[in-house]
Amino acid sequence: MASESRLYTFSADTEEKLRKFRLGTSRAKSPQAVVYQIDKHTLEIAQADDTIYSNVQELGDELPDHSPRFILLSYPLTLPSGRLSVPYVLLYYLPVTCNAELRMLYAGAKELMRNTAEVGKVIEIAEAEDLETIEKKLGGGA
């Protein structure tokens, strides 16, 4: 077992929410995102609130300016071939203005979050404005 799995924890409730979100968004017709954060004292990774965002602009408005977050995103898009695809990715939001302690905290948990959430890809973003080009990063053109 990797060392980060002993340092960071997920409650059974959080693991169930991760599973339900992953399974429930695979056929989504609109983008869906949830935000996760790490409690600095208990090192538990948990959903920041119960909000499921369906608008990436609204999601960007809610992200803190100086604190990292993990964002699970299911984003339906039409590929250039005309085929519908629903990538399920982890957005690793790491603002340039956050302090070194928080950078290390989230960097240490990134792979554990990736594996526990069972995402296909991790995309790093440094500012909320990066969400505006997320479709291009996912391969949908636009």
Side-chain angles (χ1 to χ4, degrees):
M1 205 183 253
S3 61
E4 69 271 5
S5 64
R6 289 188 296 268
L7 182 60
Y8 302 97
T9 61
F10 290 94
S11 69
D13 183 49
T14 297
E15 287 180 344
E16 182 63 18
K17 283 182 179 180
L18 285 168
R19 190 183 73 76
K20 281 184 177 178
F21 184 75
R22 180 176 52 82
L23 297 174
T25 60
S26 62
R27 300 259 183 246
K29 301 284 186 241
S30 63
Q32 294 189 13
V34 288
V35 179
Y36 281 80
Q37 65 187 19
I38 301 173
D39 182 306
K40 284 195 321 187
H41 305 292
T42 64
L43 300 182
E44 181 180 342
I45 302 171
Q47 200 168 327
D49 55 39
D50 287 331
T51 306
I52 296 178
Y53 298 92
S54 57
N55 178 318
V56 288
Q57 182 68 43
E58 186 180 311
L59 170 63
D61 293 344
E62 294 298 318
L63 290 174
D65 292 334
H66 308 294
S67 182
R69 292 290 185 267
F70 294 126
I71 304 155
L72 294 175
L73 174 68
S74 177
Y75 197 99
L77 49 88
T78 303
L79 300 175
S81 66
R83 195 173 62 99
L84 180 66
S85 176
V86 187
Y88 179 58
V89 298
L90 173 65
L91 301 180
Y92 177 39
Y93 173 65
L94 188 64
V96 293
T97 56
C98 78
N99 69 40
E101 179 187 4
L102 285 174
R103 284 181 179 277
M104 294 302 292
L105 186 69
Y106 278 78
K110 182 171 76 169
E111 284 304 312
L112 179 64
M113 182 68 186
R114 173 190 197 145
N115 295 334
T116 305
E118 298 180 47
V119 297
K121 184 177 184 179
V122 176
I123 299 173
E124 295 190 16
I125 59 173
E127 50 192 40
E129 288 74 33
D130 291 344
L131 289 169
E132 295 169 11
T133 60
I134 199 66
E135 188 169 329
K136 192 175 289 181
K137 291 178 183 175
L138 293 172

